[in-house]
Amino acid sequence: MSTIVFILPGFMLYLWIQLMGVNPVAKHTTAEFAAIAALAWIPVIILTVWIISFFGVSIWTLEDLVDASGNLIFIVQFFGISLVVSFLIACLYAWILYPLQRGLVNLIRWSLGKAGLSKSSSVWEEVFLGKKKQVVGISKIGSITPDIIGSVKKVARPFEAKRAFSLVYTDHCKKIVEKYEVPVYEVFTDIDSGVHVFIYDIDEYDKADQKYREELEEADTRKSTDPSDVSIS
């Protein structure tokens, strides 16, 4: 019961915030995570207890909370309300408080002559976890020719064990990039794994892809109207 009342609300708030894309710079240790969950517990418990008071349960001290947690109905109410409250607080933090926090921190960093923080906590997330379509080529460091080229379908999240891509239409993308010499817009270099990820200019790629399709249609049209292909019976 103490887990549901004193640990779970803070953990749920922290989990919601991470799922909404506000990730820490590095994985937290157990002690750090416990401290963050304890801090996150405070706003969730205050709002949850305030809402529960409308159901006729008055809680003003921790002793009142401990006594009430022995009631199964209270536990069910507490869990359901804290789940919703933690989600709403996470939305408020992700939409308003986090941008405000980052803005204030950047003001201080700029005053100290340091670069401002990006919207995302890691270069990987900043480059690959947006909504924009991407066509990439992957090669080992030292090679300027990608071993594979494709359209990004899925990308590993920041704290997955392996940084991986799921690429689709690899043959088609490679044909477009090589035939029309689509320019590279950006290069992501993972020094630890020794890999280059060439990110192609998506606007130029789309133009080249459209041109390729139009050429195919023209070729099909010429083929269908070629008199030598018409049989005379």
Side-chain angles (χ1 to χ4, degrees):
M1 297 302 177
S2 61
T3 300
I4 296 176
V5 175
F6 294 102
I7 297 177
L8 194 58
F11 173 76
M12 287 191 297
L13 175 56
Y14 183 74
L15 179 62
W16 285 127
I17 290 174
Q18 276 202 313
L19 290 175
M20 292 175 185
V22 183
N23 294 301
V25 177
K27 288 185 178 180
H28 292 300
T29 64
T30 302
E32 290 172 341
F33 181 79
I36 292 172
L39 290 173
W41 176 82
I42 296 173
V44 177
I45 194 68
I46 290 174
L47 285 178
T48 300
V49 168
W50 178 71
I51 294 173
I52 287 179
S53 66
F54 290 100
F55 295 91
V57 181
S58 297
I59 298 175
W60 298 101
T61 66
L62 289 178
E63 291 183 357
D64 293 338
L65 184 60
V66 171
D67 293 339
S69 64
N71 188 319
L72 186 60
I73 295 177
F74 172 82
I75 290 296
V76 173
Q77 291 176 340
F78 182 89
F79 176 76
I81 294 172
S82 63
L83 180 65
V84 176
V85 167
S86 62
F87 176 77
L88 294 177
I89 294 177
C91 291
L92 177 66
Y93 180 79
W95 283 332
I96 300 175
L97 298 181
Y98 177 68
L100 179 62
Q101 173 190 349
R102 190 180 67 250
L104 292 174
V105 170
N106 282 341
L107 286 177
I108 298 174
R109 290 177 64 90
W110 292 331
S111 68
L112 296 175
K114 299 181 181 292
L117 299 177
S118 300
K119 292 182 179 180
S120 302
S121 59
S122 66
V123 178
W124 177 266
E125 185 177 6
E126 186 81 12
V127 175
F128 295 114
L129 292 182
K131 295 187 293 184
K132 189 175 180 180
K133 181 178 72 174
Q134 290 178 311
V135 174
V136 301
I138 301 174
S139 73
K140 288 289 186 181
I141 291 179
S143 173
I144 60 173
T145 303
D147 299 314
I148 186 172
I149 299 174
S151 177
V152 176
K153 181 181 180 182
K154 298 288 184 181
V155 184
R157 292 192 292 180
F159 293 132
E160 288 191 39
K162 299 291 183 180
R163 289 186 172 179
F165 291 96
S166 173
L167 302 180
V168 295
Y169 309 119
T170 53
D171 292 337
H172 178 76
C173 291
K174 184 176 182 180
K175 185 184 299 182
I176 298 298
V177 168
E178 292 180 348
K179 182 177 181 179
Y180 297 98
E181 298 181 346
V182 178
V184 174
Y185 169 74
E186 188 176 4
V187 179
F188 176 88
T189 301
D190 191 332
I191 298 175
D192 291 336
S193 62
V195 171
H196 282 315
V197 181
F198 300 96
I199 306 168
Y200 295 98
D201 188 318
I202 195 62
D203 294 328
E204 294 299 321
Y205 175 86
D206 287 339
K207 292 177 183 177
D209 185 60
Q210 181 63 30
K211 184 176 180 180
Y212 174 76
R213 296 177 187 277
E214 290 174 355
E215 290 175 355
L216 282 182
E217 291 178 0
E218 291 175 3
D220 291 340
T221 302
R222 287 196 300 268
K223 184 177 179 181
S224 63
T225 57
D226 190 342
S228 61
D229 293 336
V230 179
S231 60
I232 301 176
S233 56

